[in-house]
Amino acid sequence: MGDDDADKGTPENPEIGIATKTRAKPKKPSQYRVLMLNDDYTPMEFVVMVLKRFFRMDLDEATQVMLQVHQRGVGVCGVYPYEVAETKVNQVMDFAKQNQHPLQCTLEKA
Ligand code: TYC
């Protein structure tokens, strides 16, 4: 057996070896949009506070996004890898519940 066959096993014991094939096109980790949904009860100031606290927005940006959600029903808080997006959704939902607001936040693949 020549050197080229070193990782191909033997006729009695084939397919032994280490898979070394790499993807031609490595995939980037998927990104997810965190979406904020409108409701009739959550105070505007609370939504602005959430956007500042969990999405690191300044007052201007947070106010714009809050108004977009208020007027259009939905708005994008940010785009993150799945686990970060999921954590942000949970943080927002927990914080809203603690404050007895019905604010809803969700994620979708970007
Ligand atoms: N619609 C709410 C109000 O009039 C404000 C609001 C904005 C609520 C954005 C949720 O994601 C939201 N008080």
Side-chain angles (χ1 to χ4, degrees):
M1 189 185 281
D3 276 357
D4 288 345
D5 295 321
D7 65 354
K8 294 265 166 61
T10 64
E12 303 78 40
N13 203 358
E15 305 298 330
I16 293 178
I18 298 165
T20 53
K21 206 171 174 193
T22 48
R23 288 190 71 98
K25 273 196 178 174
K27 289 248 164 70
K28 288 192 208 126
S30 303
Q31 297 284 103
Y32 287 77
R33 278 188 283 272
V34 175
L35 304 177
M36 192 80 95
L37 306 180
N38 191 32
D39 67 72
D40 291 339
Y41 304 103
T42 305
M44 291 183 173
E45 303 74 41
F46 184 81
V47 179
V48 169
M49 176 172 53
V50 165
L51 292 168
K52 286 170 68 184
R53 181 179 295 206
F54 297 110
F55 300 95
R56 303 178 150 277
M57 292 183 197
D58 64 22
L59 178 61
D60 261 23
E61 195 184 357
T63 303
Q64 278 177 33
V65 172
M66 181 280 293
L67 285 174
Q68 150 102 16
V69 178
H70 177 67
Q71 288 159 2
R72 307 243 179 122
V74 63
V76 179
C77 306
V79 182
Y80 308 95
Y82 182 79
E83 286 184 5
V84 177
E86 192 193 28
T87 300
K88 301 234 180 238
V89 168
N90 289 333
Q91 286 173 332
V92 170
M93 300 289 283
D94 286 351
F95 189 58
K97 262 185 217 135
Q98 278 168 30
N99 289 275
Q100 282 139 42
H101 296 310
L103 183 63
Q104 294 291 309
C105 191
T106 185
L107 54 79
E108 70 174 18
K109 204 166 187 304

